[in-house]
Amino acid sequence: MAILEILEFPDPRLRTVAKPVVEVDDRVRTLIDDMFETMYDAPGVGLAATQVNVHEQIVVIDVSEDNSEPLVFINPEITVLDEEIFKYDEGCLSVPGFYESVQRPRHIRVKALDRNGDSFEIEPEGLLAVCIQHERDHLLGKLFVDYISPLKRNRIRDKLEKQHKRQA
């Protein structure tokens, strides 16, 4: 397994729309394992393949306190089940150090493939539902900063660009 480089905002590669996975094979399973290792190391609760510059529809999530509930979503499709909005302070491994309040549907249905290519469906609520929607946005080339005001988004962009220049 390997720890992969996580792209950071405003890297334009984060805006790439991911393509569906055609076949779940050993290459995809190795990527999934590397994504989990990268996410746990960061540390985070979710990671989309887009964030590690692989533009395929793969998401890994683990919202447990002890990293004991790893979930894999390949080619996830989301249906909103309840229009009730859940407001949550979101952060992102691609926007390190920043948290902003984002509103998302509280209850969703997700259809996806697991790490073996088997189809499954779940109906999460609350934090897991928010996390799945956040990671699915990455596959569509969207970031949580797209939900906040342009002023806040530009301020975050400027701070991260300065940080990247200092590190270079």
Side-chain angles (χ1 to χ4, degrees), residues 81 107-110 121-125 128-129:
L81 296 178
H107 190 195
I108 61 173
R109 175 182 298 125
V110 184
E121 189 174 305
I122 61 171
E123 294 185 3
E125 296 183 67
L128 181 56

Side-chain angles (χ1 to χ4, degrees), residues 25-95:
D25 55 15
D26 286 342
R27 178 193 64 81
V28 170
R29 283 186 281 277
T30 297
L31 174 61
I32 289 166
D33 292 341
D34 290 346
M35 287 173 63
F36 272 118
E37 186 171 356
T38 301
M39 179 187 77
Y40 290 139
D41 181 70
V45 296
L47 187 68
T50 300
Q51 293 176 271
V52 294
N53 202 28
V54 176
H55 303 287
E56 297 179 78
Q57 293 184 15
I58 303 169
V59 166
V60 299
I61 292 175
D62 189 338
V63 295
S64 69
E65 293 288 323
D66 59 356
N67 299 337
S68 63
E69 298 173 24
L71 299 170
V72 175
F73 300 88
I74 300 171
N75 302 336
E77 299 173 20
I78 294 175
T79 304
V80 175
L81 296 178
D82 184 346
E83 295 296 328
E84 180 185 355
I85 297 299
F86 187 64
K87 195 173 189 179
Y88 193 80
D89 281 345
E90 293 186 23
C92 180
L93 296 177
S94 291
V95 189

